[in-house]
Amino acid sequence: MPKPFYITTTLPYVNASPHIGFALEMVQADAIARFRRSQGDEVFFNTGTDEHGLKIYRKAREAGMDPQKYTDAHAKRFDDLRAALHLSYDAFIRTTDPRHKAAAQEFWKRCDANGDIYKKNYSIKYCVGCELEKTESELVRLKCPLHPDAELESIEEENYFFRFSKYQEPLLKLYESSNDFVVPAHRLKEITEFVKGGLEDFSISRLKEKMPWGVPVPGDSEHVMYVWFDALINYISTLGWPASAKAPAGKPDNFKKFWPGVQIAGKDNLRQQAAMWQAMLLSAGLPNSKQILIHGFITSGGRKMSKSSGTVIDPFEMVETYGTDAVRYYLLAEIPPFEDGDFTMEKFKQRYNGDLANGLGNAVSRVASLLEKDSIAISIKKGSDEKLAAAVKKAMETYQFNEALSAIWRELARVDEALAESKPWDMESASEKKAVLEPASQRILNVAIALEPFLPNASAAIAAQFGAKQVAKAAPLFPRV
């Protein structure tokens, strides 16, 4: 019986084009989704775009566009990542979708009914880049450390607030109940210490006359929802909540089937995902998330990527030049799963030529050429090697993508070792060559199957090539650069 498994990325703002950092999150989530499908699970993989808030509204005004038309145009660019990175997501939720807006309003009503929403006047320092309030202790030289080039804004108005402070103890109990609720472990410790330090209620609305671009607050036409309150609800609105609770007979109830799920996010999202969202779920009377995976940032030469320094990497350009699987491979093999990782063209080309062109591509080409040259027919089983599958599974159970790929490449190395030791190209008889090339082909096919969650295009090409009794040469998988 297939087990349901739900995984979701965060939703990026559509005020800028997709960058390599978000591509990392997408590829990690996709590898997890594909792996779980390979284990027989029924997977629901969600992503999408966050389209409300002050910075979206301002960008649309700068462009002289209606905010909805602006988000329509930019959301498509993010959905284009599906083809570019060969992603297998099941849903692309936009926070401007009517069904999402309806879910956000119902969620608000439930929190309000629980006594967790109230109105007050307040004054704060606000980072538009983060779309978050900033306390003095969070600032570095009076600037947001994540957006040091942007001036903080002062907001003074009457807004609705969420009683975040009410959920300090419930959140601490949630963290204590599962030592892997947030991974890696030091991120769980970080959020635990944050919550132990005390929680302040946060604003969840904006005056419509100042910032009209948002989901209307139920029962108050003068306010729209604060972008974070609205956006976090996408994780369940994409599953049909709350309408799925009243699903007609025979129609799947995806919320009941798939929630709670696994969420993947960058380290700058830790507070929102592991504390704010969890408190909101508790307030609405809904189950908390199953697990939250926190990854690091991608740097360039050890420094933060920036447009001004020319270090921003465009994933579309990388795919256009080097191919989908080359980009996926670097992000999964070179970038640590949970810490900051570096991306430079020098490192990328080293990985590409060393592991892909000279490694995987060369092994496949050599064996195929030798088989075709003497028309050697082989008979191998289309099934992954149990030892290799176990090694990959062990790594993927803790989301160690790089370790899973290392296990696959160790198996691939055995092909080269066997060829170097036996030298089939010097053998006289076809039967002698077959005795070497058939097990080498089996290993290559095993590698192809194990690679599917990580390099789906190469996996399919190799499996088709070596799944035939008569293997033929093919175009290079990874032409050397």
Side-chain angles (χ1 to χ4, degrees):
M1 186 75 174
K3 293 185 297 182
F5 177 82
Y6 176 45
I7 185 165
T8 179
T9 69
T10 55
L11 303 191
Y13 289 116
V14 295
N15 63 308
S17 296
H19 55 76
I20 201 70
F22 183 61
L24 169 68
E25 187 170 311
M26 291 293 289
V27 170
Q28 286 183 341
D30 187 68
I32 294 168
R34 287 177 179 273
F35 174 75
R36 294 301 293 252
R37 291 191 194 102
S38 75
Q39 301 302 296
D41 293 346
E42 183 180 0
V43 173
F44 193 100
F45 173 18
N46 175 62
T47 189
T49 44
D50 186 353
E51 302 178 16
H52 291 126
L54 187 57
K55 60 184 174 183
I56 302 293
Y57 179 65
R58 286 181 176 174
K59 283 289 184 180
R61 291 187 66 182
E62 286 173 15
M65 295 178 68
D66 171 76
Q68 186 63 62
K69 290 182 179 178
Y70 177 87
T71 56
D72 287 345
H74 286 75
K76 183 183 182 303
R77 190 63 171 161
F78 284 88
D79 201 13
D80 288 344
L81 286 173
R82 176 196 286 269
L85 296 173
H86 202 144
L87 304 172
S88 61
Y89 51 79
D90 301 286
F92 187 90
I93 184 75
R94 297 178 57 189
T95 57
T96 54
D97 288 346
R99 62 193 172 107
H100 171 77
K101 292 179 182 179
Q105 290 177 320
E106 174 61 23
F107 197 100
W108 178 290
K109 291 176 184 176
R110 294 192 184 196
C111 294
D112 190 26
N114 199 33
D116 290 336
I117 294 178
Y118 65 97
K119 214 174 189 181
K120 75 168 185 177
N121 289 305
Y122 81 122
S123 176
I124 60 156
K125 289 184 173 65
Y126 189 77
C127 174
V128 177
C130 294
E131 293 277 15
L132 283 175
E133 303 165 12
K134 296 292 176 178
T135 62
E136 294 294 335
S137 63
E138 293 176 289
L139 304 179
V140 177
R141 297 185 182 88
L142 301 179
K143 297 288 186 73
C144 170
L146 295 176
H147 301 92
D149 296 330
E151 293 294 329
L152 292 172
E153 299 191 10
S154 295
I155 295 179
E156 295 185 23
E157 61 185 40
E158 185 180 50
N159 286 169
Y160 286 95
F161 276 69
F162 176 74
R163 294 187 193 278
F164 196 28
S165 57
K166 173 180 171 181
Y167 291 95
Q168 180 182 29
E169 289 305 316
L171 286 174
L172 291 175
K173 287 180 181 178
L174 173 64
Y175 305 152
E176 291 169 6
S177 68
S178 175
N179 60 10
D180 66 349
F181 177 69
V182 177
V183 291
H186 69 270
R187 296 299 179 196
L188 178 59
K189 182 179 180 181
E190 181 182 337
I191 195 62
T192 299
E193 291 304 312
F194 170 77
V195 173
K196 281 182 178 179
L199 301 176
E200 294 185 6
D201 298 350
F202 60 86
S203 169
I204 58 172
S205 78
R206 295 290 182 266
L207 280 172
K208 191 173 182 179
E209 65 178 354
K210 293 183 180 180
M211 210 292 292
W213 186 238
V215 178
V217 166
D220 190 336
S221 60
E222 295 182 356
H223 285 258
V224 296
M225 291 183 196
Y226 164 58
V227 62
W228 273 106
F229 188 91
D230 140 40
L232 289 165
I233 298 163
N234 90 86
Y235 302 133
I236 58 175
S237 68
T238 191
L239 296 173
W241 184 90
S244 65
K246 304 174 183 177
K251 186 176 180 180
D253 183 345
N254 281 337
F255 176 74
K256 185 176 181 181
K257 177 187 283 189
F258 290 105
W259 187 259
V262 175
Q263 296 169 214
I264 185 167
K267 64 182 182 179
D268 56 337
N269 257 254
L270 176 63
R271 186 195 310 180
Q272 297 92 310
Q273 308 298 327
M276 292 167 61
W277 172 229
Q278 304 311 315
M280 288 164 58
L281 286 165
L282 289 167
S283 176
L286 299 173
N288 287 107
S289 304
K290 181 179 180 182
Q291 192 175 47
I292 299 170
L293 316 182
I294 300 294
H295 62 79
F297 293 155
I298 294 183
T299 58
S300 179
R303 297 179 299 171
K304 184 179 179 181
M305 288 187 176
S306 68
K307 290 181 180 178
S308 60
S309 63
T311 55
V312 172
I313 303 294
D314 184 333
F316 293 104
E317 290 180 3
M318 292 297 297
V319 167
E320 181 69 26
T321 304
Y322 301 100
T324 295
D325 281 357
V327 175
R328 287 177 65 108
Y329 180 76
Y330 189 90
L331 293 175
L332 295 170
E334 178 69 22
I335 305 299
F338 303 120
E339 303 301 333
D340 290 354
D342 208 47
F343 194 116
T344 66
M345 289 309 303
E346 181 182 4
K347 289 180 180 179
F348 180 87
K349 289 179 180 179
Q350 286 176 350
R351 276 281 191 173
Y352 179 96
N353 286 326
D355 294 359
L356 298 177
N358 297 338
L360 178 61
N362 186 55
V364 169
S365 179
R366 290 175 75 192
V367 174
S369 296
L370 289 167
L371 288 169
E372 185 183 64
K373 181 180 177 182
D374 292 319
S375 301
I376 298 173
I378 58 173
S379 178
I380 56 179
K381 296 178 181 178
K382 193 173 183 180
S384 62
D385 176 78
E386 290 184 6
K387 188 176 180 180
L388 175 60
V392 172
K393 183 177 181 180
K394 182 180 179 181
M396 287 300 288
E397 283 176 345
T398 53
Y399 313 110
Q400 301 293 335
F401 313 101
N402 48 357
E403 291 183 10
L405 285 165
S406 291
I408 295 171
W409 252 252
R410 286 195 296 271
E411 182 67 12
L412 184 66
R414 294 188 179 99
V415 175
D416 287 328
E417 290 167 4
L419 294 180
E421 182 179 343
S422 58
K423 297 180 175 58
W425 48 85
D426 290 337
M427 294 176 176
E428 295 294 333
S429 70
S431 60
E432 284 183 301
K433 293 179 182 179
K434 181 176 180 177
V436 175
L437 297 176
E438 192 167 66
S441 298
Q442 181 68 67
R443 277 205 165 100
I444 287 173
L445 186 58
N446 293 343
V447 162
I449 293 168
L451 274 177
E452 197 281 332
F454 315 102
L455 311 185
N457 293 326
S459 170
I462 298 168
Q465 187 179 12
F466 281 80
K469 284 190 175 182
Q470 188 66 61
V471 177
K473 290 190 295 184
L477 289 169
F478 302 98
R480 187 174 172 81
V481 296

